[in-house]
Amino acid sequence: MTKHITVMAGDGIGPEIMAEALKVLNGLIDAGLDVSFEEHLFGGAAHDATGSCLPDATLAACEKCDAILLGAIGGPRYDSLPREQRPERALLGVRSKLDLFSNLRPALLYPELASASSLKAELVADLDLMIVRELTGGIYFGEPRGIETTDGGEKRGFNTMTYSESEISRIAHSAFRIAEQRNGRLCSVDKANVLEVSELWRETVTQIAAEYPDVELSHLYVDNAAMQLVRAPKQFDVIVTSNLFGDILSDAAAMLTGSIGMLPSASLDASGKGMYEPVHGSAPDIAGQGIANPLATILSLSMLLRYSLDESKAADTIDRGVRQVLSDGLRCQDISGDQPAVSTTAMGDAVVAAMAN
Ligand code: IPM
Ligand code: MG
């Protein structure tokens, strides 16, 4: 049966990088892959066209399909909208409405790109770590939240960091299972020395560890984890953490690999349905110039085919194509250093050509 993908290019560099991922997807479909896709408006682009960043038709398509491929959303033009109308809220809305609680953010260093890392080559050689970020709870969604005016006439902003046992337990199981398939080490990151919510997090993760005797569990406070990530990142295999801590640590981990422009991510529900997107944002500063790196989006498509559509052969073909263009020396400007850089479209064309070999 034909599987269906909902494609949302979004804002900023989103349409440019998505065009290249769709070249790759169309190439696979022409070669026999039984998949169809439909493009939908999302984010600022949707707001411009319909007045809403998450139109009903887009949400319905996301609910109906087998997997979602997203480019990027947001931009300075939309920062002045009321908070609940902004693109970021639409993204959080899709995550929450589809219950995409398990966010996988790999940080993998391609040997060809070791010199692009901000750390010394020996600290990052062969780096391969996975951050499992809880995505539908914590302080991002906790109530009460708001900005109020106190009796004294002063404004006061507040949010709530909250996790129930079941929310902690399902993300912990997800992370333990990933650690089992990798190198068997899981580090849970919290702030249990200060926060009650973290105390419950640590207690729950520790209890669940008994069900995974092959996984070695450790714990770090988030401040120490941030330090360890830039001091000795290869000590990590899988990191599991809450929504806010994962947001911050995953950007740091991404930069260890040299370019955030290379990293895909997956956000999965309990059944394995997911939304796949590059870790980087919409980069409005370089939008429209044809220089953005499309590889993170192309690799997100590969993850989508592998994890949600069970099409590992097609995913392997994409991964091989990407490795080939890197070993051929092709670089977009984010990782080119002093070398000449290729354009977004030239990179996409090169991956399609390499996949055919
Ligand atoms: C991310 C982004 C989002 C987040 C923003 C755009 C809402 O930074 O996916 O990491 O904070 O989750
Ligand atoms: Mg982020």
mmCIF file of all heavy atoms in Angstrom, residues 88 91-92 95 105 133 140 247, ligand 1:
data_model
loop_
_atom_site.group_PDB
_atom_site.id
_atom_site.type_symbol
_atom_site.label_atom_id
_atom_site.label_comp_id
_atom_site.label_asym_id
_atom_site.label_seq_id
_atom_site.Cartn_x
_atom_site.Cartn_y
_atom_site.Cartn_z
ATOM 1 N N GLU A 88 6.371 29.510 15.969
ATOM 2 C CA GLU A 88 6.891 28.588 16.986
ATOM 3 C C GLU A 88 5.751 27.873 17.705
ATOM 4 O O GLU A 88 5.850 26.684 18.023
ATOM 5 C CB GLU A 88 7.746 29.347 18.015
ATOM 6 C CG GLU A 88 9.090 29.831 17.481
ATOM 7 C CD GLU A 88 9.001 31.085 16.634
ATOM 8 O OE1 GLU A 88 7.909 31.671 16.497
ATOM 9 O OE2 GLU A 88 10.053 31.497 16.087
ATOM 10 N N LEU A 91 4.452 25.041 15.625
ATOM 11 C CA LEU A 91 5.329 23.866 15.702
ATOM 12 C C LEU A 91 5.066 23.100 16.997
ATOM 13 O O LEU A 91 4.904 21.868 16.997
ATOM 14 C CB LEU A 91 6.792 24.323 15.640
ATOM 15 C CG LEU A 91 7.850 23.229 15.726
ATOM 16 C CD1 LEU A 91 7.712 22.256 14.567
ATOM 17 C CD2 LEU A 91 9.255 23.834 15.729
ATOM 18 N N LEU A 92 4.978 23.837 18.101
ATOM 19 C CA LEU A 92 4.684 23.184 19.381
ATOM 20 C C LEU A 92 3.300 22.534 19.324
ATOM 21 O O LEU A 92 3.087 21.466 19.906
ATOM 22 C CB LEU A 92 4.741 24.201 20.528
ATOM 23 C CG LEU A 92 6.098 24.890 20.758
ATOM 24 C CD1 LEU A 92 6.026 25.834 21.948
ATOM 25 C CD2 LEU A 92 7.217 23.887 20.960
ATOM 26 N N ARG A 95 3.594 19.174 17.481
ATOM 27 C CA ARG A 95 4.253 18.210 18.371
ATOM 28 C C ARG A 95 3.266 17.687 19.400
ATOM 29 O O ARG A 95 3.181 16.485 19.661
ATOM 30 C CB ARG A 95 5.423 18.895 19.099
ATOM 31 C CG ARG A 95 6.612 19.191 18.210
ATOM 32 C CD ARG A 95 7.664 20.007 18.978
ATOM 33 N NE ARG A 95 8.841 20.287 18.155
ATOM 34 C CZ ARG A 95 9.825 21.108 18.526
ATOM 35 N NH1 ARG A 95 9.768 21.750 19.683
ATOM 36 N NH2 ARG A 95 10.860 21.293 17.735
ATOM 37 N N ARG A 105 17.809 13.439 18.429
ATOM 38 C CA ARG A 105 18.717 14.386 17.785
ATOM 39 C C ARG A 105 20.130 13.819 17.778
ATOM 40 O O ARG A 105 20.899 14.005 18.727
ATOM 41 C CB ARG A 105 18.677 15.732 18.510
ATOM 42 C CG ARG A 105 17.295 16.349 18.424
ATOM 43 C CD ARG A 105 17.261 17.787 18.859
ATOM 44 N NE ARG A 105 16.028 18.404 18.365
ATOM 45 C CZ ARG A 105 15.718 19.666 18.490
ATOM 46 N NH1 ARG A 105 16.524 20.496 19.096
ATOM 47 N NH2 ARG A 105 14.599 20.137 17.994
ATOM 48 N N ARG A 133 15.321 13.860 23.541
ATOM 49 C CA ARG A 133 14.711 14.996 24.235
ATOM 50 C C ARG A 133 13.209 14.775 24.380
ATOM 51 O O ARG A 133 12.529 14.503 23.394
ATOM 52 C CB ARG A 133 14.991 16.268 23.400
ATOM 53 C CG ARG A 133 14.191 17.479 23.807
ATOM 54 C CD ARG A 133 14.398 18.628 22.808
ATOM 55 N NE ARG A 133 13.581 19.771 23.164
ATOM 56 C CZ ARG A 133 13.334 20.811 22.360
ATOM 57 N NH1 ARG A 133 13.869 20.843 21.143
ATOM 58 N NH2 ARG A 133 12.579 21.804 22.752
ATOM 59 N N TYR A 140 7.872 23.852 28.587
ATOM 60 C CA TYR A 140 7.311 24.361 27.330
ATOM 61 C C TYR A 140 5.782 24.381 27.365
ATOM 62 O O TYR A 140 5.154 25.170 26.674
ATOM 63 C CB TYR A 140 7.751 23.486 26.153
ATOM 64 C CG TYR A 140 9.050 23.889 25.514
ATOM 65 C CD1 TYR A 140 10.221 23.984 26.257
ATOM 66 C CD2 TYR A 140 9.114 24.159 24.155
ATOM 67 C CE1 TYR A 140 11.415 24.336 25.664
ATOM 68 C CE2 TYR A 140 10.300 24.513 23.552
ATOM 69 C CZ TYR A 140 11.451 24.601 24.309
ATOM 70 O OH TYR A 140 12.627 24.951 23.707
ATOM 71 N N ASP A 247 16.602 21.076 24.501
ATOM 72 C CA ASP A 247 16.672 22.146 23.500
ATOM 73 C C ASP A 247 18.074 22.759 23.509
ATOM 74 O O ASP A 247 18.700 22.944 22.464
ATOM 75 C CB ASP A 247 15.623 23.213 23.829
ATOM 76 C CG ASP A 247 15.676 24.381 22.858
ATOM 77 O OD1 ASP A 247 15.750 24.130 21.646
ATOM 78 O OD2 ASP A 247 15.666 25.541 23.323
HETATM 79 C C1 IPM B 1 13.978 23.402 18.375
HETATM 80 C C2 IPM B 1 13.614 24.869 18.306
HETATM 81 C C3 IPM B 1 12.203 25.031 18.846
HETATM 82 C C4 IPM B 1 12.198 24.587 20.296
HETATM 83 C C5 IPM B 1 11.607 26.440 18.697
HETATM 84 C C6 IPM B 1 11.645 26.924 17.254
HETATM 85 C C7 IPM B 1 10.216 26.533 19.246
HETATM 86 O O1 IPM B 1 14.548 25.632 18.995
HETATM 87 O O2 IPM B 1 13.280 22.587 17.735
HETATM 88 O O3 IPM B 1 14.960 23.077 19.051
HETATM 89 O O4 IPM B 1 12.538 25.369 21.194
HETATM 90 O O5 IPM B 1 11.857 23.427 20.542
#
